[in-house]
Amino acid sequence: MAKKVTAETKSRVPASDSYYSHHSPFGAYSTFTLGRFGKGGGFALESGQVPSQNVFVAYSRPNEPVRALPFYQGSVSGAENFTGQAASTENAFAKAGWVPFKAEEITRSLKWASDTWKAGDLRFTIFTPVQSLADFEYELTDKLKLALCPALIAELEFDNSQSKTPGWAFFGVGNIGKPMRVLGQDASLSLPGLARGNEWGFGYRATSEHIPELENVLSFELPELVRAGRSKVHLLASDGGVLIRAKAGQRVTVTLALGFYRGGIATTGLTTEYYYTRFFDNIEDVLAYALDHHTRYKDDAGVIDRRLERSGLSPTRQWLISQATRSYYGSTQLLRRGGHPLWVVNEGEYCMMNTFDLAVDHLFFELRHHPWTVRNMLDLYVERYSYMDEVMLPKDGGSKREKFLGGISFTHDMGTHNQFTRKGCSSYELTNLDGCFSHMTHEQLVNWVCCGALYGLRRPVERDTAPAGRDAGATYAGDKRWIREREPIFLACLESLIRRDSPPGAKRDGVMSLDSSRCGTGQEITTYDSLDVSLGQARSNLYLAVKTWAAYVLLGHVFRQLGRGHLEKDALIQASICAKTITSKYDRKLGFIPAVFEEGNHSAIIPAIEGLVFPYTIGDDEAVSENGPYGKMIHALKTHLKNVLKPGVCLDSASGGWKLSSTNNNTWASKIQLCQFVAETVLGFNFGPSIPKWDAIHAAWQCNEFADFAMSDQLDSTNGKPIGSRYYPRGVTNILWMNDF
Amino acid sequence: MAKKVTAETKSRVPASDSYYSHHSPFGAYSTFTLGRFGKGGGFALESGQVPSQNVFVAYSRPNEPVRALPFYQGSVSGAENFTGQAASTENAFAKAGWVPFKAEEITRSLKWASDTWKAGDLRFTIFTPVQSLADFEYELTDKLKLALCPALIAELEFDNSQSKTPGWAFFGVGNIGKPMRVLGQDASLSLPGLARGNEWGFGYRATSEHIPELENVLSFELPELVRAGRSKVHLLASDGGVLIRAKAGQRVTVTLALGFYRGGIATTGLTTEYYYTRFFDNIEDVLAYALDHHTRYKDDAGVIDRRLERSGLSPTRQWLISQATRSYYGSTQLLRRGGHPLWVVNEGEYCMMNTFDLAVDHLFFELRHHPWTVRNMLDLYVERYSYMDEVMLPKDGGSKREKFLGGISFTHDMGTHNQFTRKGCSSYELTNLDGCFSHMTHEQLVNWVCCGALYGLRRPVERDTAPAGRDAGATYAGDKRWIREREPIFLACLESLIRRDSPPGAKRDGVMSLDSSRCGTGQEITTYDSLDVSLGQARSNLYLAVKTWAAYVLLGHVFRQLGRGHLEKDALIQASICAKTITSKYDRKLGFIPAVFEEGNHSAIIPAIEGLVFPYTIGDDEAVSENGPYGKMIHALKTHLKNVLKPGVCLDSASGGWKLSSTNNNTWASKIQLCQFVAETVLGFNFGPSIPKWDAIHAAWQCNEFADFAMSDQLDSTNGKPIGSRYYPRGVTNILWMNDF
């Protein structure tokens, strides 16, 4: 009965439907990850890795095989552990008559807030409505509860309407290592469903006109039971789900709530709990609430889906945004500290907390949907993760390095794996290093300025969950109170930037020349820590120079807003000399600006243009215009980009994709997409048919034969193979494509 | 400098020093497992499996290799995940110059409350004082806090006294999957140490005359750093520990606290938290308290060690008790429910909670050390895990089975993996089965009677932690208040036992003849669920018949105590006819009583004598005497045992070890040792030199080439290979050997 769709007839955006996606509630640091064919996924809390549960979405009828989405691995029964007999390694599913759908039988449709698989007579959808919360402190409790409920709504539709016999569908998980329990037996709520302890679980409810019979299955013999359409509960088993019986001629739908819960103290260093524990006491609470509000979640998801569909973006870009948003959501964590919210974005597979050089990339998404999280993070950086340093000239062959007064900066992160570090220290940074794990003092200083200025000066208000008629594009509110409150910090940042420009008394060129004393015998690095010196070294670095220029421009706006004319002037003078320096580094022979203004460096880098995003998104079109005050630099950067976007330079010869540095095959998806936005929208490049071509390449990298990690950032530019920063939140830079700031 | 001890010169009790032991605090369901050569171990909470951390106990000096106890696996650095470079599979330790001690260089001494390794110039001891708490509700808070603190004290001594150079020792763990954190930075207590989140950690303190310098190491490069004697802290790393610097000519000692913590709600079904959370807020609290009281813990351990050493038991039996006690401790869990204690013993690798047919084996240990835990468990069985059933005659070929009034019984367990099941249901039992996972109705009924009678009628008070002079052997207090309170239950149990004997109106023979209606089309089984029918089937089963007889004898005592003469008489009549039936089943041709009184069963089983332990331990020497009221049965059982303890029958032909059933190679260590006690002490067998021979075989089974699981219960009798019930608490039946009840 399965509608056959061949690979040829199907228009593939993206190239393959076999890829993992996070499916995550807002701020719960949890996920129901699913989507890679032949592999599991399932529930996970606070993890940087794809879970390895089996996920069962299947149906059968008398004398038919079980047809299932291919989201389970060969799994053996657990009963032999009790009976003292040897384990079988044969695939219990194949043996029991399970026939997974083949790729060509499946159509998957990933939208911004829904992920739908159709195969044969079933449809399975997971809804992940993007939450917009304009300002946490002013939201109504009901809205907060709806947004923070740590659960997802999913829907399984089984179409038995063309069948002359009864049939049954099944949703469940397995291979979870511990027994599940049956809900509704001991809790105050009589909720049908299964759970693992209090950590995660799923509840269900029939929501179609025809009401199917629903029965729990929890058994060592799940494959055989689903095959036979028989229910059974054995509380020692870890394979379980719900059997959905449809009569002949009926189409039935079951709505599922997939929930997560972690109570008690969530973090060390700072004692916090999950914010949602204010509203929910346990997993039963969570699931019951989500099911009670399932139509609201589905409706919201529909609104969000349509918003992206009507954006005018290509299907490929819509897909890239949808996929990236999910991995961002899977990393978000809203905690509660002394009654107040504390926002953390965890760093994908690394699980570092609020990594600042990622936060500046999440900025655009957060400003669009929940700008208060930016403020929340910036305030905690000031309170606890700022420091004052001294600065030093580069090493000159072993002699003691002279130190000068430095200034304020911020740590790389706030901790790792739910462990907040002590005041003034990150988990990442070490002293006496030249490369990876060294300090990012200048980079994070610039990042605080960029985030603070964008948050304070422009703040779009709630849109995506608003009634359709109310959506009126971007609204820039800003937060003037906060800008004023943080004036001392902005002042300290300007001072600190200037002190890193050149030693006291020496001529300034607007570009970082001194390393933080925290580096010891080493030197500062940038966020591009794993690339070669072209992007790795902070001092005299083109990428960081342009971003520093942007910070000066933004500081000009901040001080104007504050009515501090002399400080505005100081900032803009620095912006001018910085732009002048950058312009002067243009090498006519090379046809581009070398990546590092030192020692005959000849690397060509795309992120030269990255920093332009900040003046543009604050609305300063002049600053990024060839006819504006920094016109020469803009012109030089345009020429630079035009000349480096060539095969063998910053277009990979093998794949054709963008390559951030000409001298390294490690390229980063998030930054490519950010730079695409700058090139196309800020600098006005018209790449014509290259755009869909490049997008297709970059999208393919997220779902090719190596793509085992949902959104992956660090990729081998020759083939798209993830080589780091997997399962990663940073891809949401591509929200910029919406261009509605 | 290592003192060479060759395998030949070393007297081996047990046969090998390479075996895992649990090292666990009381009631914390947590362990620091260690001891198998070439394998890891380390910290684990709420787990039925040996943890796989690396454990580092090592020392080095300039230009010397690192000599380490062999408790780590080949491990690769984690840094490459950040740098995008491929992982090396080479053993980072060997590469860095680590040379693990060989078996012949190590002496290990496992005592009742201390486990000590000596190799080269180091000594490492973990202390696990056995806690005796006479009655929880009357204990002083200070004593409770000391007993319940979820931490262990350990001691690392590094003897650099013969060295002309400084040296350094190291204690740490690695391969834990997530970064550790450095203690004392953000908590209120400035405690030196390392921890993983709030879950576990270790603090340390120098406690020798010469005070070593102590420095944290936490790094991806731990092997090289320990080799070089250099400290470093990288908060992204998960390999860490403490570097202990000793000057030339100094012997230094560091005391460690190894702690565990789980806050918040611990269980579902019944909402509980760990009892220790009443005293400790987090892991820092735990470690600081343990270190502050380290001398007390060490002193207590010394008292316990000496108690066993002076017991008169052979070194092999002392070792078996020491090893079994640890695995029992690792399974214990003291929870708090509505302010009151709730005691759980988790079932080893299966993690079922308070499995009743294990509880009856833990009984002797618990009565000796903390009898209130028996009462606590029995009361919860009455409140929540008892049920009333009907009973049925055996299946007679498919016709509907007639049902009769049954009576009270108890479930097999209370749940699994911290999930309490609903009222009246276990996690294990299913309907319609003939073997494993069927109901154990009769068995658990007998178990409640045996546990309740022993608890209520005799209760030894606190001994092992008492000042040495106070120890006056066993003191039998009993709990008459409780016996009176539970009179209705004892009455219901007697009624229920009788109703299972024969259908209404039929002649009784004292032996179970009817299965519980809960079995559906199946039949009841016994605790020997994984053995063949010889021990597996409950009905007409010799093992269960003798245990049923014991229950009647105990009920006689209970009702006498209560002044209920007619009930005492009813019980003793049943005991008499039961004994008579058993005696009548003696088969002269076979020379023993067949295991099942049905269908020409010819299996010979050792646990025929198991039930005799109960009248004996309650002090009823008459009941188990050949000259007493049941003398003929006792005589038959003695003859039975004498005749079955023969090679090829119940002595394994290959190994020479005890084999519970002549028709199955699955033999259980805990039950062997219980039956050894009954044979030697209750029945007075003088096995002479066979005793040490058998003990050596049984001890070897716990530390041979297959022994990867600390105490293992289900073993292959031909070679001692564990085939189930691994990492198991049940071995504490061997406390009976102390024979001081």
Side-chain angles (χ1 to χ4, degrees):
Chain A
M1 222 162 293
K3 206 182 76 184
K4 291 274 178 192
V5 183
T6 68
E8 289 70 33
T9 60
K10 193 168 160 188
S11 166
R12 281 265 182 226
V13 171
S16 161
D17 281 342
S18 173
Y19 56 88
Y20 279 122
S21 295
H22 282 88
H23 302 92
S24 305
F26 178 70
Y29 199 8
S30 59
T31 180
F32 187 80
T33 295
L34 198 69
R36 194 77 165 140
F37 295 163
K39 295 200 174 174
F43 294 93
L45 282 84
E46 303 179 345
S47 172
Q49 282 160 17
V50 178
S52 57
Q53 298 172 4
N54 287 323
V55 177
F56 309 121
V57 183
Y59 68 91
S60 189
R61 298 187 181 90
N63 306 316
E64 287 184 21
V66 176
R67 299 307 312 273
L69 293 178
F71 301 142
Y72 57 93
Q73 303 168 306
S75 168
V76 294
S77 157
E80 60 274 7
N81 294 328
F82 289 85
T83 54
Q85 283 150 26
S88 156
T89 52
E90 198 173 346
N91 184 326
F93 295 94
K95 210 170 144 189
W98 285 49
V99 180
F101 285 107
K102 292 184 188 135
E104 59 267 27
E105 294 178 285
I106 301 167
T107 53
R108 178 178 183 182
S109 168
L110 184 86
K111 300 184 179 184
W112 206 6
S114 66
D115 195 358
T116 300
W117 292 265
K118 292 182 187 171
D121 296 326
L122 71 75
R123 173 181 65 79
F124 182 64
T125 303
I126 307 175
F127 301 96
T128 48
V130 176
Q131 301 296 338
S132 289
L133 291 169
D135 202 330
F136 190 85
E137 284 162 26
Y138 303 114
E139 298 289 356
L140 300 173
T141 301
D142 280 357
K143 182 162 182 199
L144 279 185
K145 190 169 179 181
L146 198 75
L148 299 185
C149 178
L152 308 170
I153 291 297
E155 213 172 58
L156 195 162
E157 185 184 86
F158 172 46
D159 183 0
N160 204 37
S161 62
Q162 304 304 308
S163 171
K164 301 252 187 308
T165 71
W168 53 90
F170 185 73
F171 170 83
V173 295
N175 194 32
I176 65 170
K178 291 177 176 181
M180 284 195 279
R181 64 192 175 98
V182 173
L183 297 179
Q185 295 190 329
D186 280 292
S188 50
L189 302 157
S190 74
L191 174 81
L194 296 166
R196 168 54 231 158
N198 212 11
E199 301 153 37
W200 54 258
F202 49 97
Y204 51 80
R205 183 180 293 176
T207 48
S208 48
E209 188 191 344
H210 296 300
I211 301 293
E213 275 184 76
L214 301 178
E215 291 168 25
N216 289 319
V217 176
L218 181 58
S219 171
F220 295 125
E221 300 133 27
L222 184 137
E224 295 77 14
L225 291 168
V226 173
R227 173 67 194 80
R230 279 175 46 216
S231 63
K232 173 179 175 178
V233 169
H234 193 185
L235 295 171
L236 292 182
S238 65
D239 290 2
V242 54
L243 197 65
I244 302 155
R245 297 185 191 281
K247 292 183 182 154
Q250 291 191 347
R251 178 200 299 256
V252 299
T253 304
V254 167
T255 295
L256 298 147
L258 315 174
F260 308 86
Y261 196 83
R262 175 157 182 207
I265 295 174
T267 56
T268 60
L270 287 174
T271 300
T272 69
E273 62 270 6
Y274 277 87
Y275 204 97
Y276 60 67
T277 61
R278 181 181 149 197
F279 303 115
F280 305 100
D281 282 345
N282 52 40
I283 190 73
E284 283 92 341
D285 269 8
V286 167
L287 297 175
Y289 178 90
L291 279 177
D292 284 348
H293 295 78
H294 72 94
T295 54
R296 177 68 194 272
Y297 287 112
K298 288 182 208 169
D299 291 349
D300 284 358
V303 171
I304 307 292
D305 282 352
R306 284 191 293 281
R307 188 95 52 208
L308 187 59
E309 285 169 341
R310 293 171 188 168
S311 65
L313 294 176
S314 70
T316 305
R317 290 197 166 180
Q318 291 187 32
W319 180 83
L320 282 164
I321 288 175
S322 300
Q323 176 75 340
T325 300
R326 282 175 171 75
S327 284
Y328 168 80
Y329 255 53
S331 299
T332 61
Q333 185 176 38
L334 186 61
L335 302 167
R336 199 157 174 245
R337 173 193 179 206
H340 297 286
L342 193 169
W343 178 252
V344 175
V345 181
N346 293 280
E347 190 182 343
E349 65 168 312
Y350 307 129
C351 305
M352 285 181 279
M353 300 158 80
N354 280 338
T355 306
F356 211 154
D357 44 304
L358 267 77
V360 75
D361 293 315
H362 306 151
L363 176 67
F364 314 105
F365 186 92
E366 294 186 344
L367 288 182
R368 195 176 189 277
H369 296 279
H370 34 77
W372 55 272
T373 62
V374 176
R375 180 187 67 224
N376 188 281
M377 173 207 67
L378 292 172
D379 285 346
L380 189 55
Y381 264 109
V382 171
E383 174 197 334
R384 195 176 159 92
Y385 294 103
S386 57
Y387 60 88
M388 302 293 287
D389 67 354
E390 296 178 288
V391 293
M392 323 175 287
L393 284 168
K395 286 179 283 188
D396 56 356
S399 68
K400 200 165 153 55
R401 297 164 79 177
E402 193 185 351
K403 287 181 185 161
F404 311 99
L405 186 62
I408 196 171
S409 189
F410 305 89
T411 60
H412 169 273
D413 59 73
M414 300 183 174
T416 183
H417 288 82
N418 288 2
Q419 300 178 149
F420 282 101
T421 44
R422 70 183 190 275
K423 275 197 169 192
C425 284
S426 70
S427 64
Y428 174 96
E429 288 156 312
L430 296 175
T431 194
N432 299 335
L433 293 176
D434 283 340
C436 195
F437 302 133
S438 185
H439 288 268
M440 296 191 193
T441 307
H442 193 96
E443 165 109 31
Q444 310 305 7
L445 172 59
V446 166
N447 287 338
W448 198 94
V449 171
C450 292
C451 291
L454 257 72
Y455 167 73
L457 297 178
R458 27 185 44 183
R459 188 170 55 140
V461 297
E462 173 184 17
R463 281 168 306 178
D464 289 323
T465 56
R470 264 188 61 200
D471 183 36
T475 306
Y476 306 114
D479 190 343
K480 288 173 188 149
R481 187 192 56 75
W482 185 84
I483 284 272
R484 191 155 297 286
E485 188 183 312
R486 289 309 184 187
E487 181 178 342
I489 305 300
F490 281 107
L491 176 58
C493 287
L494 176 59
E495 276 291 311
S496 185
L497 278 172
I498 291 172
R499 291 194 185 282
R500 288 163 212 282
D501 180 331
S502 56
K507 196 168 181 305
R508 296 186 204 150
D509 65 359
V511 175
M512 172 192 164
S513 300
L514 297 102
D515 289 301
S516 171
S517 53
R518 288 199 163 198
C519 295
T521 62
Q523 63 174 6
E524 284 184 37
I525 59 171
T526 77
T527 186
Y528 294 101
D529 55 0
S530 59
L531 279 87
D532 63 343
V533 67
S534 68
L535 276 162
Q537 172 190 311
R539 202 181 56 251
S540 303
N541 179 298
L542 171 60
Y543 145 75
L544 195 54
V546 176
K547 209 163 150 185
T548 304
W549 162 83
Y552 283 127
V553 172
L554 296 181
L555 283 169
H557 286 283
V558 167
F559 291 123
R560 182 161 57 211
Q561 169 78 40
L562 290 167
R564 305 293 188 197
H566 66 289
L567 291 172
E568 179 192 356
K569 201 179 141 198
D570 285 354
L572 295 184
I573 287 171
Q574 283 296 112
S576 288
I577 60 172
C578 182
K580 204 173 155 189
T581 303
I582 293 165
T583 312
S584 74
K585 300 296 180 183
Y586 183 81
D587 185 321
R588 287 185 187 207
K589 239 189 313 195
L590 293 172
F592 59 82
I593 309 174
V596 181
F597 311 153
E598 274 180 11
E599 299 164 21
N601 179 295
H602 289 171
S603 292
I605 57 167
I606 292 174
I609 63 170
E610 184 178 329
L612 303 182
V613 72
F614 300 104
Y616 178 83
T617 47
I618 214 169
D620 188 349
D621 293 342
E622 281 290 295
V624 294
S625 160
E626 280 181 276
N627 304 315
Y630 313 104
K632 286 181 183 170
M633 180 187 75
I634 301 301
H635 179 73
L637 289 171
K638 284 186 82 162
T639 314
H640 169 100
L641 185 67
K642 196 181 70 183
N643 291 336
V644 305
L645 275 184
K646 286 179 180 161
V649 188
C650 290
L651 292 179
D652 190 273
S653 314
S655 68
W658 283 31
K659 194 173 143 159
L660 294 183
S661 162
S662 64
T663 48
N664 200 304
N665 286 345
N666 187 341
T667 197
W668 295 13
S670 61
K671 296 293 197 177
I672 288 174
Q673 294 170 31
L674 192 164
C675 289
Q676 284 184 298
F677 170 76
V678 173
E680 296 168 24
T681 306
V682 180
L683 296 178
F685 274 80
N686 184 352
F687 294 123
S690 292
I691 293 182
K693 195 184 72 188
W694 289 330
D695 286 348
I697 293 164
H698 300 154
W701 287 350
Q702 298 295 333
C703 58
N704 65 14
E705 69 267 38
F706 310 116
D708 280 325
F709 312 97
M711 196 275 155
S712 285
D713 204 19
Q714 293 189 34
L715 307 166
D716 183 330
S717 60
T718 67
N719 58 11
K721 186 173 180 176
I723 51 180
S725 300
R726 290 156 287 217
Y727 216 51
Y728 218 58
R730 201 177 208 162
V732 284
T733 53
N734 60 24
I735 196 73
L736 286 163
W737 286 332
M738 298 289 273
N739 196 25
D740 55 2
F741 279 76
Chain B
M1 223 161 291
K3 206 182 79 186
K4 293 272 177 192
V5 183
T6 68
E8 289 69 33
T9 60
K10 192 168 159 187
S11 166
R12 284 265 182 225
V13 172
S16 161
D17 282 340
S18 172
Y19 56 88
Y20 279 122
S21 294
H22 281 88
H23 302 93
S24 304
F26 178 72
Y29 197 8
S30 59
T31 180
F32 187 80
T33 295
L34 198 70
R36 194 76 165 143
F37 295 163
K39 295 199 175 176
F43 294 94
L45 281 84
E46 303 179 345
S47 173
Q49 281 160 19
V50 178
S52 58
Q53 298 172 3
N54 287 323
V55 178
F56 309 121
V57 183
Y59 68 91
S60 189
R61 299 187 182 90
N63 306 316
E64 287 185 19
V66 176
R67 299 308 312 274
L69 293 178
F71 300 142
Y72 57 94
Q73 302 169 307
S75 168
V76 293
S77 154
E80 61 275 3
N81 294 327
F82 289 84
T83 54
Q85 283 150 27
S88 155
T89 52
E90 197 174 344
N91 184 324
F93 295 95
K95 210 170 144 189
W98 285 48
V99 180
F101 285 107
K102 293 184 187 133
E104 60 267 27
E105 295 178 284
I106 300 166
T107 53
R108 178 178 183 181
S109 167
L110 185 86
K111 300 185 177 184
W112 206 7
S114 66
D115 195 358
T116 299
W117 293 265
K118 291 182 189 173
D121 297 326
L122 70 76
R123 173 181 64 79
F124 183 64
T125 303
I126 306 176
F127 301 95
T128 47
V130 176
Q131 301 295 339
S132 288
L133 291 168
D135 203 328
F136 190 86
E137 284 161 27
Y138 304 112
E139 297 291 355
L140 300 174
T141 302
D142 281 357
K143 182 162 182 197
L144 279 185
K145 190 170 178 179
L146 198 76
L148 300 184
C149 179
L152 309 170
I153 291 298
E155 212 173 57
L156 195 160
E157 185 184 87
F158 172 45
D159 184 358
N160 204 37
S161 61
Q162 304 304 309
S163 171
K164 301 253 187 307
T165 71
W168 53 91
F170 185 74
F171 171 84
V173 296
N175 193 34
I176 65 171
K178 290 178 177 181
M180 284 194 279
R181 64 190 175 99
V182 174
L183 297 179
Q185 295 190 331
D186 280 294
S188 51
L189 301 157
S190 73
L191 174 81
L194 295 166
R196 167 53 232 161
N198 211 11
E199 300 153 37
W200 53 260
F202 48 98
Y204 51 80
R205 184 180 294 178
T207 47
S208 47
E209 188 192 343
H210 296 299
I211 302 293
E213 275 183 77
L214 302 178
E215 290 167 26
N216 289 320
V217 176
L218 182 58
S219 170
F220 294 125
E221 299 131 28
L222 183 137
E224 295 79 13
L225 291 168
V226 173
R227 173 66 195 79
R230 280 175 44 216
S231 62
K232 174 179 176 178
V233 170
H234 193 185
L235 295 172
L236 293 181
S238 64
D239 289 3
V242 55
L243 197 66
I244 302 154
R245 296 185 192 283
K247 292 184 182 152
Q250 291 191 345
R251 177 200 300 256
V252 299
T253 304
V254 167
T255 295
L256 297 146
L258 315 174
F260 308 85
Y261 196 83
R262 177 160 180 202
I265 295 173
T267 56
T268 61
L270 288 174
T271 300
T272 69
E273 63 271 6
Y274 277 87
Y275 204 96
Y276 60 68
T277 61
R278 180 180 150 196
F279 303 115
F280 305 100
D281 281 345
N282 51 41
I283 189 74
E284 282 92 341
D285 269 7
V286 167
L287 297 175
Y289 178 89
L291 279 177
D292 285 348
H293 295 78
H294 72 94
T295 52
R296 177 69 193 272
Y297 287 111
K298 288 182 209 170
D299 291 350
D300 284 358
V303 170
I304 307 294
D305 282 351
R306 284 190 294 280
R307 189 94 54 209
L308 186 59
E309 285 169 342
R310 292 171 188 167
S311 65
L313 294 176
S314 71
T316 303
R317 290 197 167 181
Q318 290 188 31
W319 180 83
L320 283 163
I321 288 175
S322 300
Q323 177 74 341
T325 301
R326 282 174 171 75
S327 284
Y328 168 80
Y329 255 53
S331 298
T332 60
Q333 185 177 36
L334 185 61
L335 301 167
R336 199 159 175 245
R337 173 194 180 206
H340 297 286
L342 193 169
W343 178 252
V344 175
V345 181
N346 293 280
E347 191 183 341
E349 65 168 314
Y350 307 130
C351 305
M352 285 182 279
M353 301 157 80
N354 278 339
T355 306
F356 212 154
D357 44 303
L358 266 77
V360 75
D361 292 315
H362 307 152
L363 176 68
F364 314 105
F365 186 92
E366 294 185 344
L367 288 182
R368 194 175 189 279
H369 296 278
H370 33 77
W372 54 272
T373 63
V374 177
R375 179 187 69 224
N376 188 282
M377 173 206 67
L378 292 172
D379 284 345
L380 189 55
Y381 264 110
V382 171
E383 174 197 333
R384 193 175 161 92
Y385 295 104
S386 58
Y387 60 87
M388 301 294 286
D389 67 355
E390 297 178 289
V391 293
M392 323 174 288
L393 283 169
K395 286 178 286 190
D396 56 354
S399 69
K400 201 166 154 49
R401 296 165 78 178
E402 192 184 354
K403 287 182 184 160
F404 311 99
L405 185 62
I408 196 171
S409 189
F410 306 88
T411 60
H412 168 272
D413 58 74
M414 300 183 175
T416 182
H417 289 81
N418 288 1
Q419 300 176 150
F420 282 101
T421 43
R422 69 181 191 277
K423 276 196 167 192
C425 284
S426 70
S427 64
Y428 174 96
E429 288 156 312
L430 296 175
T431 193
N432 299 335
L433 293 176
D434 283 342
C436 195
F437 303 133
S438 185
H439 288 268
M440 296 190 191
T441 307
H442 193 97
E443 165 108 32
Q444 310 305 8
L445 171 59
V446 166
N447 287 338
W448 199 95
V449 171
C450 293
C451 291
L454 256 70
Y455 168 74
L457 296 178
R458 27 184 45 184
R459 188 169 56 139
V461 297
E462 170 185 18
R463 282 167 304 176
D464 290 323
T465 56
R470 264 189 62 199
D471 184 36
T475 307
Y476 305 112
D479 188 345
K480 288 173 186 148
R481 187 194 54 76
W482 184 85
I483 284 271
R484 191 154 297 287
E485 188 185 311
R486 290 308 185 187
E487 180 177 343
I489 305 299
F490 281 106
L491 176 58
C493 287
L494 175 59
E495 276 291 312
S496 186
L497 278 172
I498 291 172
R499 290 193 186 281
R500 289 162 211 282
D501 179 332
S502 56
K507 195 169 181 309
R508 297 188 205 150
D509 65 0
V511 175
M512 171 192 164
S513 300
L514 296 102
D515 290 300
S516 171
S517 54
R518 287 200 164 198
C519 296
T521 61
Q523 64 175 5
E524 282 183 41
I525 58 171
T526 77
T527 187
Y528 294 100
D529 55 0
S530 58
L531 278 88
D532 63 342
V533 67
S534 68
L535 278 162
Q537 172 190 312
R539 202 181 55 251
S540 303
N541 179 298
L542 170 60
Y543 144 76
L544 195 53
V546 176
K547 209 164 152 185
T548 303
W549 163 83
Y552 284 126
V553 172
L554 296 181
L555 283 169
H557 286 282
V558 167
F559 292 122
R560 182 163 56 212
Q561 169 75 40
L562 289 167
R564 305 295 187 196
H566 67 289
L567 292 172
E568 180 192 356
K569 199 177 145 203
D570 285 353
L572 295 183
I573 288 169
Q574 283 295 112
S576 287
I577 59 172
C578 182
K580 202 172 158 192
T581 303
I582 293 165
T583 312
S584 76
K585 299 297 179 182
Y586 183 81
D587 185 322
R588 288 186 187 210
K589 240 190 316 196
L590 293 173
F592 57 84
I593 310 174
V596 181
F597 311 153
E598 276 181 10
E599 298 165 21
N601 179 296
H602 290 171
S603 293
I605 56 167
I606 293 174
I609 63 170
E610 184 178 329
L612 304 182
V613 72
F614 299 103
Y616 177 84
T617 48
I618 213 167
D620 188 350
D621 295 341
E622 282 289 294
V624 293
S625 158
E626 281 181 278
N627 305 316
Y630 314 105
K632 285 182 182 169
M633 179 186 76
I634 300 300
H635 179 74
L637 288 172
K638 284 186 81 160
T639 313
H640 170 100
L641 185 68
K642 195 180 71 180
N643 291 337
V644 304
L645 274 184
K646 285 179 181 161
V649 188
C650 290
L651 292 179
D652 190 272
S653 315
S655 68
W658 282 32
K659 193 173 145 160
L660 295 183
S661 163
S662 64
T663 48
N664 200 304
N665 286 344
N666 187 341
T667 196
W668 296 11
S670 60
K671 297 292 198 180
I672 288 174
Q673 294 169 31
L674 193 163
C675 289
Q676 284 184 298
F677 170 77
V678 173
E680 296 168 24
T681 306
V682 181
L683 296 178
F685 274 81
N686 184 354
F687 293 124
S690 291
I691 292 182
K693 193 184 73 187
W694 288 330
D695 285 346
I697 293 164
H698 300 154
W701 287 351
Q702 298 295 333
C703 58
N704 64 14
E705 69 268 38
F706 310 115
D708 281 325
F709 311 96
M711 196 274 155
S712 285
D713 204 20
Q714 291 189 37
L715 307 166
D716 183 329
S717 61
T718 65
N719 57 11
K721 186 174 180 176
I723 50 180
S725 302
R726 291 156 287 216
Y727 215 50
Y728 218 58
R730 201 178 209 162
V732 285
T733 52
N734 59 24
I735 197 72
L736 285 163
W737 285 334
M738 298 288 274
N739 196 25
D740 55 4
F741 280 75

